[in-house]
Amino acid sequence: MLRKLLIPSVFVAQAPSPAPVAPRMLGRLWIPLLFVGLLVAMYVAANSSQPGTIIFPLLFIFLLTGFPIALSLAIATVIYLYYGTTIPLTAIPQKMFTNLDSFPLMAVPFFVLASNIFSVGGVAERLIRMSTAFLGHLYGGLAVSGVAACALFAAVSGSSPATVIAIGSIMIPAMVRAGYPPRYAIGSMATAGSLGIMIPPSIPLVLYGFVTNESVGKLFIAGILPGLFQAIVMATICYIVARRYKYPLQPKATWAERWKAVRHGAPSMLLPIIIIGGIYGGFFTPTEAAAVAVLVGIIVGMFVHRELHLRDFPKIFLDTGKTTAMLMFIITMAQLFAFVLTNERLPQTLAAATLQGNLAAWQVLLIINIILFFAGDFMDSAPIVLIMSPIFHPIARAVGIDPIHLGIVIVMNMEMGMITPPVGLNLYVASGISDTPLYTVMRYAAPWIIVMVSVLLVVTYVPEISLLLPRLLYR
């Protein structure tokens, strides 16, 4: 039964995909509208002195009609290259493969594979037992334990939907049976699952490092304190709400039970120790750390927990292949789109305009947060990171914002996007595992958006939370 609950799910591919909102709203009109918009865009591009100006309206048309993001980026880029440059279209396949020819990018499939292995290796159950043994007796103890378990599982999965499925599928029914209201149980777990993309290893941080040429090791280290801060704030809110409404208390575990839980859960925590310790100690790069994580996951799952079997590997490899193919396709299309932006000198133009406008760093950060908040409502994390990071990176540098801090701010915005409709992926996952209507889950998660915004503002305007560890460890 537990194995059925711990469905392999990494980043986006295995979680229930939200249906595009626009096609449902426009009915059968979306196909002719898309066709007309495409013709208009091609006409304007062919007769414009600056064909690059059409790329964003064209991309918006595709996204509005629910067209796949990767294909929207590809078609918009091809139209620009055809009408706005002398680059032959035959160069596009070559550039696509060149974009993927990156050693740091190899970390993505390895982290995806490691996450899938840990998802079926009995890790979630042991982390929940360990958290509950120490925190279960508090007010809202099951919710507080669930948040702690999400933080621990985030350190071995790197995936937000995987964290919601692995932890939420166990904790939500347990909380409801214990007498907690469903709104409290579902809302807290859907939100706590977002920790999966902040606490390292984190696939969005790998992607940000890839497109901006920033150190993935520094980004991983920088994500630790913001992730722990977010977890502490969420656990505190769970405690305050449970005490205010006098939710049921659980019996306190004995020290013998706690020691047993720690003994059984300790092997599951080898992965974050190996990744962070190995990278900081100079034993291996983040990409090599991802490969080591796969080996650790196999050893722990097969020989320590003994819940991972040879018969599980065909599905694990199939799920990993699907997720990796999806991510790599988005990455290469986003890189083509970034080439257009660079060719049009858009990042440099925006950075110059920012300096001419005398905008302070706090104002730039506020604008970035507002843009990302709305982008997260309609797009998945990977394309946002890949599209927005090359634009914001030079602007941030121009006003003195540390690029490592910027990466943490961007990924924390992506966490909020996981619980904001209409494309809040965690909402769909929580709806599926709790058998609750989607709009009901949205209402349950709505108050937690305020909590997430508060945490985001603190992390945004207190950069030391993100930069303290990198400065200490990378002198």
Side-chain angles (χ1 to χ4, degrees):
M1 181 64 183
L2 180 62
R3 184 168 290 114
K4 292 181 179 179
L5 294 175
L6 301 181
I7 304 171
S9 171
V10 179
F11 204 78
V12 174
Q14 273 68 51
S17 299
V21 175
R24 189 168 52 217
M25 294 168 54
L26 299 175
R28 296 182 179 179
L29 292 176
W30 78 271
I31 295 180
L33 285 175
L34 177 64
F35 183 69
V36 171
L38 181 61
L39 291 179
V40 171
M42 294 174 65
Y43 176 80
V44 173
N47 293 276
S48 173
S49 59
Q50 293 183 327
T53 58
I54 198 61
I55 194 166
F56 279 105
L58 180 59
L59 179 62
F60 179 75
I61 291 173
F62 284 125
L63 296 177
L64 180 65
T65 55
F67 213 63
I69 293 174
L71 291 180
S72 300
L73 292 169
I75 297 176
T77 302
V78 168
I79 290 177
Y80 165 79
L81 292 176
Y82 183 78
Y83 289 107
T85 70
T86 58
I87 300 174
L89 295 184
T90 53
I92 293 178
Q94 180 182 359
K95 192 164 187 62
M96 288 174 60
F97 282 100
T98 302
N99 290 337
L100 296 179
D101 185 16
S102 169
F103 182 73
L105 200 58
M106 289 176 60
V108 173
F110 280 117
F111 278 132
V112 171
L113 179 57
S115 178
N116 278 336
I117 290 172
F118 272 92
S119 293
V120 299
V123 173
E125 183 184 18
R126 286 165 175 79
L127 295 180
I128 289 172
R129 288 176 180 173
M130 189 166 61
S131 301
T132 306
F134 286 90
L135 304 171
H137 63 282
L138 302 174
Y139 281 101
L142 289 181
V144 174
S145 301
V147 173
C150 284
L152 293 174
F153 193 80
V156 300
S157 72
S159 165
S160 181
T163 304
V164 177
I165 291 175
I167 306 299
S169 59
I170 298 174
M171 294 304 295
I172 291 175
M175 281 191 272
V176 173
R177 286 195 302 268
Y180 295 149
R183 66 178 182 276
Y184 178 82
I186 297 173
S188 61
M189 290 299 99
T191 308
S194 63
L195 290 166
I197 61 173
M198 174 57 71
I199 298 177
S202 165
I203 294 176
L205 287 178
V206 173
L207 298 181
Y208 174 82
F210 167 68
V211 297
T212 61
N213 291 320
E214 296 294 339
S215 168
V216 175
K218 286 186 178 180
L219 289 166
F220 277 6
I221 297 295
I224 294 176
L225 289 185
L228 293 179
F229 173 65
Q230 179 184 339
I232 291 171
V233 171
M234 291 189 59
T236 303
I237 297 297
C238 289
Y239 174 85
I240 293 173
V241 172
R243 184 163 186 168
R244 168 69 176 80
Y245 293 101
K246 301 187 184 304
Y247 293 157
L249 290 171
Q250 304 299 311
K252 188 174 182 178
T254 65
W255 281 105
E257 292 172 332
R258 291 176 177 177
W259 168 244
K260 182 179 179 181
V262 170
R263 186 161 45 86
H264 289 169
S268 301
M269 297 310 300
L270 284 175
L271 178 59
I273 295 173
I274 289 174
I275 289 177
I276 301 301
I279 294 174
Y280 171 62
F283 295 105
F284 36 70
T285 66
T287 301
E288 293 165 345
V292 172
V294 173
L295 179 62
V296 173
I298 293 174
I299 294 174
V300 171
M302 294 188 69
F303 304 108
V304 180
H305 295 164
R306 299 191 179 185
E307 294 192 21
L308 180 66
H309 306 283
L310 290 177
R311 64 175 177 271
D312 297 321
F313 281 95
K315 178 170 174 54
I316 288 175
F317 289 140
L318 179 62
D319 291 340
T320 301
K322 290 179 180 178
T323 304
T324 302
M326 177 270 298
L327 285 173
M328 291 303 178
F329 186 47
I330 292 177
I331 288 170
T332 189
M333 293 299 105
Q335 285 295 96
L336 280 176
F337 189 79
F339 166 75
V340 172
L341 301 183
T342 303
N343 196 65
E344 289 290 318
R345 297 187 58 81
L346 179 62
Q348 294 83 352
T349 302
L350 291 176
T354 301
L355 292 176
Q356 291 177 359
N358 294 320
L359 292 178
W362 73 268
Q363 293 172 312
V364 172
L365 285 170
L366 179 61
I367 294 172
I368 289 174
N369 279 329
I370 292 173
I371 293 173
L372 291 175
F373 179 83
F374 287 104
D377 291 342
F378 298 99
M379 294 174 65
D380 292 326
S381 300
I384 293 178
V385 172
L386 292 166
I387 295 171
M388 298 295 185
S389 296
I391 298 176
F392 293 148
H393 188 261
I395 297 175
R397 279 188 171 276
V399 297
I401 299 171
D402 192 290
I404 299 297
H405 179 221
L406 175 66
I408 300 303
V409 170
I410 290 176
V411 173
M412 188 159 280
N413 273 279
M414 298 306 94
E415 287 187 287
M416 279 203 302
M418 291 289 181
I419 60 168
T420 53
V423 192
L425 196 58
N426 284 7
L427 301 177
Y428 292 85
V429 174
S431 173
I433 64 177
S434 64
D435 196 23
T436 304
L438 177 61
Y439 291 102
T440 302
V441 175
M442 290 179 181
R443 290 201 308 271
Y444 292 166
W448 288 98
I449 297 177
I450 301 175
V451 177
M452 295 286 286
V453 170
S454 302
V455 172
L456 172 65
L457 291 176
V458 173
V459 172
T460 298
Y461 293 112
V462 186
E464 283 303 313
I465 298 177
S466 305
L467 301 178
L468 177 61
L469 291 182
R471 286 172 179 170
L472 289 175
L473 301 178
Y474 287 88
R475 292 180 178 179

